[in-house]
């Protein structure tokens, strides 16, 4: 998005240095922004899941292991299929691998149950493999002993990293 520029004055936003930072659900939005907003020149996801579709499938699998939920899941199979298709359509995961477009910092806690680091490790590995020998500005930071939270150290790393990549 571009802010309106008043006639005869300096721009209020330098879109050449626009970054997107999100935490939790906003962390997922940070992945989505990389693929859908060309104005975004760098993105930081903190405690965000990069793959809603895989997470959705994992939740469905987990639910199916609870005997008391099996019957309820059977009753909504058609609705579940529709929702699965919708989630797959908006999921940026494969696009991130195929066309890694812009600097990306992924930050997570190593014991986060909401956005498990496994999803970020998989994405990091797949982007690296797809874009060898140079995956570009891709960084993954895992914070030991941290669950689903935003810490001061994470915020400081975000600011430092954005300053570095946006001011080149």
């Amino acid at each position: 998005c571009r802010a309106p520029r008043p006639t005869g004055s300096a721009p209020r936003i330098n879109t050449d240095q626009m970054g997107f930072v999100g935490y939790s659900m906003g962390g997922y939005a940070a992945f989505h922004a990389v693929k859908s907003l060309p104005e975004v020149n760098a993105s930081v996801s903190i405690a965000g899941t990069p793959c809603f579709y895989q997470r959705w499938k994992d939740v469905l699998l987990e639910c199916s292991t609870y005997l008391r939920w099996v019957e309820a899941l059977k009753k909504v199979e058609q609705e579940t299929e529709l929702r699965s298709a919708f989630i797959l359509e908006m999921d940026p995961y494969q696009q991130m691998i195929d066309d890694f477009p812009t600097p990306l910092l992924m930050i997570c806690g190593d014991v986060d149950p909401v956005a498990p680091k496994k999803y970020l490790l998989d994405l990091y590995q797949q982007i690296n493999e797809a874009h060898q020998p140079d995956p570009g500005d891709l960084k993954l930071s895992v914070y030991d002993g941290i669950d689903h939270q935003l810490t001061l150290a994470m915020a400081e790393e975000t600011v430092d990293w954005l300053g570095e990549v946006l001011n080149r």
Side-chain angles (χ1 to χ4, degrees):
C1 300
R2 297 186 190 275
R5 183 182 297 181
T7 307
S9 67
R12 291 189 281 168
I13 296 176
N14 180 351
T15 58
D16 294 332
Q17 293 182 321
M18 189 179 302
F20 188 105
V21 178
Y23 164 72
S24 193
M25 185 62 171
Y28 169 74
F31 291 111
H32 205 290
V34 166
K35 295 309 303 170
S36 60
L37 298 172
E39 296 89 355
V40 172
N41 302 107
S43 191
V44 181
S45 173
I46 304 169
T49 299
C51 50
F52 258 30
Y53 183 68
Q54 185 59 51
R55 183 69 174 137
W56 170 254
K57 287 181 8 183
D58 290 347
V59 168
L60 289 175
L61 175 61
E62 181 181 354
C63 290
S64 74
T65 67
Y66 292 102
L67 293 179
R68 64 182 189 185
W69 292 354
V70 171
E71 194 60 38
L73 285 171
K74 285 181 184 177
K75 291 178 182 177
V76 293
E77 280 180 348
Q78 189 173 14
E79 179 67 22
T80 300
E81 287 179 25
L82 290 172
R83 290 176 187 261
S84 295
F86 173 75
I87 291 169
L88 180 59
E89 185 178 316
M90 71 173 192
D91 194 327
Y93 190 85
Q94 191 59 49
Q95 288 179 325
M96 296 286 298
I97 295 163
D98 295 341
D99 182 28
F100 181 65
T102 168
L104 174 65
L105 169 59
M106 301 179 288
I107 299 176
C108 68
D110 73 333
V111 293
D112 186 343
V114 178
K117 72 179 176 182
K118 172 75 169 107
Y119 298 134
L120 296 175
L121 291 168
D122 289 345
L123 179 62
Y124 182 81
Q125 178 182 17
Q126 290 179 31
I127 290 173
N128 268 317
E129 288 174 359
H131 298 277
Q132 284 299 322
D134 181 17
D137 291 310
L138 175 66
K139 183 177 180 185
L140 172 61
S141 292
V142 179
Y143 284 73
D144 291 338
I146 301 298
D147 59 12
H148 194 72
Q149 58 185 297
L150 169 60
T151 67
L152 179 58
M154 291 172 174
E156 289 172 340
E157 180 181 8
T158 297
V159 170
D160 291 344
W161 183 85
L162 281 171
E164 177 186 320
V165 300
L166 291 176
N167 290 310
R168 286 188 196 149

